[in-house]
Structure formats: C-alpha cells, structure tokens
Amino acid sequence: MEPIRYVYGDGIREGIMAQRLSELYPWKFYDTPRFYFTDFHITMLHNGGRENYIGDIEIKWLKSDSSKPAIFPFNKLQQMLIAPPYTDGVDVFHRICFRFSDGLLIMPARELGSLIPQFHTRWDTQEHDLVIFVQASDYAKYWVAEIVNEE
C-alpha cells in the first residue's frame, strides 16, 4: 500500500482550488492535518453566518485534459468510503475534485466505489500502486465547465 506522502507545491494548488470552489459554491474550507486522507473539511455557509459540516474533499490536480483518465489511489478511496460523514442531508458526503486542464469533475467519492482497482506502475518512482482509473466522460453530470490555473 502506498504511503500518504507530502508533495511540495500540492498545498499551493489545493489552496487555489479551494479558493475557486468557495467562489462557485457556498462552502468554507478547513485544512486537514498533514498526512490525513483528504485535503479539506467542508462546511456549507448559510444566511446569518451559520455553518454545517457537509463532508471532506480530496483535490487531484491533473495537468492533462479530461479525455485522459484520472488515476486515483485506491487506498485513499477506501479511506473515504469507510469513514463517511453522517448523512443528515442530501449535501453530506465526501467529495473528490479532479482538476483537468479543460474543467473540473466534482463528484461524491461513493460514486467510484464500484470501480475495480488495478495495479499500476508510477512513471516517476516506479512504485506499484493499486489505483482506479476515472474517465470524466463517464460522470458527465458532475462536470463543471470551469478552468482553474495556477496563476
């Protein structure tokens, strides 16, 4: 099983994405501890300043466009699935945000639970990881035509 690792620069990209998502949705983001299995806890903002927890989000910043499948660590998906928030509303669930160069795929983690994991060799470290491949076109109802860049 692949260890959770810290990648320099990911925090900057995650912050950029959280800022943009908070402009698109009435959400507020809270950092999770280093090496936690998600990037942020999310609360939904209501009139009068009230907030309620609606789940966590993992942000996967991809440099490719959505025609290429996203690779997502299966062990991270398992952690998101076995630790769901209490479902006291239709908005309460863990999310995964795939940032492609041509848009965003923001979806409930549970939607990926039925995908069959495969062993995959990372091109940069040659590690063998158990992953799932996520094709954006298979989840078109979660597609957001919003381009987010580092600048």
Side-chain angles (χ1 to χ4, degrees):
M1 183 178 286
E2 175 189 354
I4 297 174
R5 70 182 93 205
Y6 180 77
V7 179
Y8 181 78
D10 277 2
I12 295 168
R13 292 182 190 122
E14 292 160 1
I16 291 167
M17 184 59 65
Q19 175 62 39
R20 187 65 189 120
L21 290 174
S22 68
E23 294 166 3
L24 294 172
Y25 302 100
W27 294 349
K28 187 171 181 182
F29 293 81
Y30 292 91
D31 290 329
T32 56
R34 194 171 180 184
F35 304 116
Y36 194 71
F37 61 90
T38 59
D39 295 321
F40 297 98
H41 302 303
I42 311 170
T43 60
M44 183 175 286
L45 302 174
H46 299 278
N47 293 337
R50 189 175 63 85
E51 301 177 24
N52 68 302
Y53 175 71
I54 60 167
D56 285 8
I57 191 165
E58 175 67 15
I59 296 170
K60 183 79 170 164
W61 189 285
L62 303 162
K63 295 179 182 175
S64 63
D65 64 46
S66 59
S67 68
K68 296 185 177 124
I71 300 172
F72 193 80
F74 184 66
N75 64 322
K76 190 170 284 204
L77 177 63
Q78 284 181 311
Q79 290 172 314
M80 294 178 82
L81 295 177
I82 64 170
Y86 289 101
T87 54
D88 54 0
V90 295
D91 297 346
V92 182
F93 50 85
H94 293 322
R95 295 159 173 81
I96 301 171
C97 174
F98 295 97
R99 178 271 181 198
F100 293 96
S101 62
D102 57 345
L104 307 174
L105 185 65
I106 306 168
M107 60 187 306
R110 66 178 173 251
E111 291 284 328
L112 302 178
S114 64
L115 293 181
I116 298 171
Q118 301 174 35
F119 274 108
H120 177 70
T121 303
R122 290 176 56 109
W123 66 271
D124 54 348
T125 63
Q126 300 305 307
E127 289 177 311
H128 301 288
D129 299 327
L130 199 54
V131 301
I132 56 169
F133 292 88
V134 181
Q135 188 65 51
S137 59
D138 293 343
Y139 302 95
K141 70 180 180 178
Y142 300 112
W143 183 256
V144 179
E146 186 73 30
I147 296 175
V148 179
N149 293 313
E150 290 185 72
E151 292 95 40

